[in-house]
Amino acid sequence: MDSQVMERQMNDTEKVVIVQKRKGCLQECLGCEHEDYFDIYKNDEKTKFATAKEDAGFCCRFFCSPNHEFTVNMKEEGTDAEMMSFHHPFMCCASCCTCCCFQEMTMKMGGKDIGKMRDEAYCCVPRFTVENEKGEGVYKIHQPTCVGGICVNCCYDGLCNCKTAFQVFPHDQEDTDNGAEHVGEIMKKPRSLATELFSDAAVFDISMPSGSTTEQKGLLIGSALFINSAFFEDKGNQ
């Protein structure tokens, strides 16, 4: 695993698009999520620079999805050089309120830990902390809020468009609710009406914070994968 590959690809990248692929129709018909595949683009959906694949056992996916243990390996398009890896341990299922059994995902670049994303205790509005390899806070992430921060703002970015936004804030920013200024965003978008209704294949647009480092961009890519597994996996089977 070479961190220079990631640095070369992320150097001038302000936006990353992650497109989830669906394979294994037979397993899905039997009610089991297939391993996830992702195509990863930079700045638009025309320049694919990486692919990623989930590695998880069949029994884990069948009995424990979407909270099963899995690893996602991200490789450079064309060279197959490994750029990053993301590991999610098994955790008990979260609900609309969380005070224990916190979900987390650890992230590596060049074979070295660069940090992790984890749940915070929350009620109704999911909140996350992104930390560096030293355990120091880098970002706070949560959905847009209203009513003093106790409710998700469902009118953000319009109504009935099947988009779900997660805003990125500096970790030292105290006020992050009620339309507070944010530095980045992870936006889950529908590919089409049919895709949204009949599968949980997703597209994520990641707007990178200005001046963010390669490691910080890698943390946000992992954060999008974490959000996908925690909130959008297994939707088609519910």
Side-chain angles (χ1 to χ4, degrees):
M1 191 186 299
D2 189 353
S3 61
Q4 293 182 351
V5 178
M6 189 70 177
E7 290 174 2
R8 183 178 69 249
Q9 293 289 358
M10 290 287 98
N11 184 43
D12 60 348
T13 300
E14 298 178 352
K15 179 180 177 181
V16 169
V17 180
I18 301 177
V19 180
Q20 185 179 16
K21 301 292 186 180
R22 273 292 174 229
K23 298 184 179 182
C25 295
L26 178 59
Q27 288 190 37
E28 300 239 339
C29 289
L30 294 174
C32 177
E33 289 278 324
H34 196 269
E35 293 172 324
D36 285 327
Y37 294 79
F38 304 92
D39 289 338
I40 306 175
Y41 302 80
K42 57 181 179 181
N43 299 325
D44 53 37
E45 282 194 52
K46 297 180 181 179
T47 309
K48 184 167 76 169
F49 73 94
T51 57
K53 178 183 177 296
E54 176 191 356
D55 182 15
F58 174 83
C59 290
C60 289
R61 287 182 283 111
F62 188 84
F63 292 107
C64 304
S65 180
N67 303 296
H68 60 290
E69 180 178 6
F70 64 88
T71 298
V72 176
N73 294 308
M74 175 176 161
K75 298 183 178 182
E76 185 178 35
E77 177 75 0
T79 68
D80 216 29
E82 188 163 326
M83 303 171 69
M84 291 192 67
S85 67
F86 313 92
H87 179 72
H88 178 277
F90 169 76
M91 294 288 181
C92 294
C93 182
S95 65
C96 62
C97 301
T98 296
C99 60
C100 61
C101 300
F102 298 116
Q103 305 287 316
E104 67 176 41
M105 177 178 279
T106 57
M107 311 172 201
K108 291 185 177 182
M109 182 186 301
K112 299 180 180 179
D113 289 333
I114 62 168
K116 67 180 179 180
M117 182 184 188
R118 61 175 177 81
D119 278 342
E120 294 180 358
Y122 65 83
C123 178
C124 298
V125 181
R127 296 176 185 267
F128 311 94
T129 295
V130 179
E131 302 173 345
N132 62 20
E133 74 282 3
K134 298 178 181 179
E136 301 167 338
V138 179
Y139 297 118
K140 297 176 182 177
I141 298 178
H142 62 74
Q143 291 179 264
T145 62
C146 59
V147 196
I150 64 173
C151 296
V152 174
N153 183 0
C154 299
C155 297
Y156 178 80
D157 204 44
L159 292 172
C160 302
N161 55 20
C162 297
K163 293 181 180 180
T164 306
F166 291 81
Q167 296 175 331
V168 180
F169 305 88
H171 190 266
D172 59 1
Q173 181 173 329
E174 293 186 5
D175 182 14
T176 62
D177 290 307
N178 300 310
E181 183 176 357
H182 55 282
V183 297
E185 187 174 72
I186 299 172
M187 176 72 78
K188 186 260 186 186
K189 304 191 307 181
R191 298 202 68 186
S192 66
L193 179 60
T195 301
E196 190 69 14
L197 290 176
F198 299 110
S199 82
D200 54 13
V203 177
F204 289 89
D205 281 358
I206 308 171
S207 298
M208 299 297 180
S210 176
S212 54
T213 65
T214 298
E215 288 78 11
Q216 290 168 348
K217 292 175 182 177
L219 288 171
L220 290 179
I221 291 173
S223 297
L225 297 176
F226 176 96
I227 289 170
N228 178 59
S229 69
F231 294 99
F232 301 109
E233 288 292 276
D234 206 35
K235 184 188 71 174
N237 296 332
Q238 290 176 357

